[in-house]
Amino acid sequence: MTAGLKDKVALVTGASSGIGEATALAFAKAGAKVGAMARRKDRLNDLAKKAGSDGANLFSIEGDVSVRKDAERAVKETHAKWGKLDILVNNAGIMLLGPFDEVDIEEWERMVKVNVLGVMYCTHAAIPLMKKQKSGHIVNISSVAGRIASPVSAVYNLTKWGMGGFSEGLRQALHKDHIRTTIIEPGAVLTELTDHIPHAGTKESTKGYVQNIEALESEDIAASIVYAVSQPERVNVNEILIRPTGQDR
Ligand code: NDP
């Protein structure tokens, strides 16, 4: 299944932990060359160590996707290092939950900047390179929260719901250039995502929920991404919704 990834070049944003880290490692193991981007340089260095003999396939890029020049640099550096860009995984994201009127405005501004503008900046920088190659694959990590809302996730819902429309619009615009588009919608995955929830009550209930079901592991989502990007050129896997078996919503 992963044979199709050998010597492909990918940029994975948010590669310093969780789903992005697992995806970067899975790609490197499958023989892809990976630009691994995040803000925490130390964690990116750990990633190369974790990859062992596949570490040579990984290239760390320190940067913040919500800063346009960082996002553009990540795309350019990945392309410059290996001479092409086959896959962009827009994974970097934050989930600063809480009732809309009880969370600081700065929190929702940050979430919109990272989850929405970050995805747009990276995608905008990647498209001209992919068009020139006449091939490419853009993978956007959304969420079940892109389909189902809750009283404490309105802004997160807004950022992830938008991803569905953005991905389908891109698909329609880019398929003629042989650029594929996939949206991945995970349910609960055991990662650091819930550690940053600013509203105490919401943090407690969300962490409790994740602990009480057998949540997915980051590797489960990485496997779904590897599946989507390993298909023959004629196959465009547009959408993957993947929940833990024990998740009720
Ligand atoms: P983690 O918190 O483990 O990982 C988030 C990653 O994003 C980290 O590598 C972090 O690195 C990076 N990141 C955050 N902000 C920025 C930024 N401004 N610029 C660059 N990188 C950034 O969470 P997950 O792995 O769970 O999250 C990955 C994606 O999956 C997110 O988009 C999330 O919304 C989505 N998702 C997660 C689910 C879950 O249950 N865990 C469910 C559904 C979707 P650093 O801090 O070093 O910058």
Side-chain angles (χ1 to χ4, degrees):
M1 185 61 74
T2 57
L5 272 172
K6 177 117 181 66
D7 295 327
K8 294 279 180 183
V9 176
L11 169 61
V12 179
T13 68
S16 62
S17 65
I19 295 167
E21 177 184 82
T23 303
L25 288 172
F27 280 9
K29 193 172 170 204
K33 314 287 185 202
V34 188
M37 187 213 193
R39 292 165 304 170
R40 289 171 296 175
K41 183 76 176 164
D42 54 331
R43 293 286 292 263
L44 292 174
N45 291 339
D46 292 347
L47 180 66
K49 283 180 215 147
K50 280 184 198 168
S53 58
D54 302 316
N57 290 343
L58 287 163
F59 169 56
S60 298
I61 305 162
E62 188 181 355
D64 181 336
V65 288
S66 70
V67 176
R68 187 174 155 191
K69 65 174 174 31
D70 283 12
E72 291 172 347
R73 177 173 51 80
V75 170
K76 276 191 194 137
E77 285 186 1
T78 304
H79 183 269
K81 182 152 176 75
W82 287 298
K84 58 178 184 161
L85 182 68
D86 299 302
I87 302 161
L88 166 65
V89 182
N90 283 313
N91 166 76
I94 49 178
M95 184 178 76
L96 308 176
L97 303 181
F100 179 64
D101 53 348
E102 291 180 39
V103 175
D104 286 347
I105 289 182
E106 286 73 23
E107 307 285 9
W108 29 280
E109 283 177 338
R110 212 147 58 84
M111 205 155 37
V112 170
K113 281 181 185 159
V114 176
N115 297 7
V116 178
L117 288 177
V119 171
M120 292 165 73
Y121 293 150
C122 291
T123 304
H124 189 260
I127 286 173
L129 303 173
M130 290 178 170
K131 277 190 169 175
K132 209 168 166 190
Q133 296 166 178
K134 293 219 162 292
S135 70
H137 201 141
I138 298 164
V139 180
N140 293 326
I141 310 302
S142 179
S143 170
V144 165
R147 291 167 166 250
I148 296 171
S150 90
V152 293
S153 60
V155 181
Y156 186 64
N157 292 136
L158 184 150
T159 68
K160 294 299 187 182
W161 226 284
M163 200 82 90
F166 182 60
S167 297
E168 173 58 10
L170 287 179
R171 187 193 69 77
Q172 292 184 19
L174 299 175
H175 73 95
K176 289 189 287 304
D177 297 290
H178 307 281
I179 299 170
R180 294 182 279 182
T181 311
T182 301
I183 184 168
I184 308 275
E185 297 158 306
V189 187
L190 212 49
T191 69
E192 297 172 19
L193 194 71
T194 53
D195 295 352
H196 312 292
I197 296 173
H199 184 265
T202 306
K203 184 174 187 171
E204 197 185 345
S205 59
T206 307
K207 278 186 168 288
Y209 182 79
V210 174
Q211 274 154 17
N212 282 333
I213 58 170
E214 189 185 351
L216 297 173
E217 299 188 0
S218 296
E219 289 72 18
D220 300 326
I221 306 304
S224 72
I225 298 169
V226 168
Y227 165 78
V229 300
S230 301
Q231 297 306 306
E233 289 278 324
R234 67 178 180 280
V235 180
N236 192 355
V237 178
N238 300 140
E239 189 166 7
I240 298 180
L241 172 63
I242 172 170
R243 286 187 179 88
T245 306
Q247 182 166 335
D248 59 351
R249 54 191 190 223

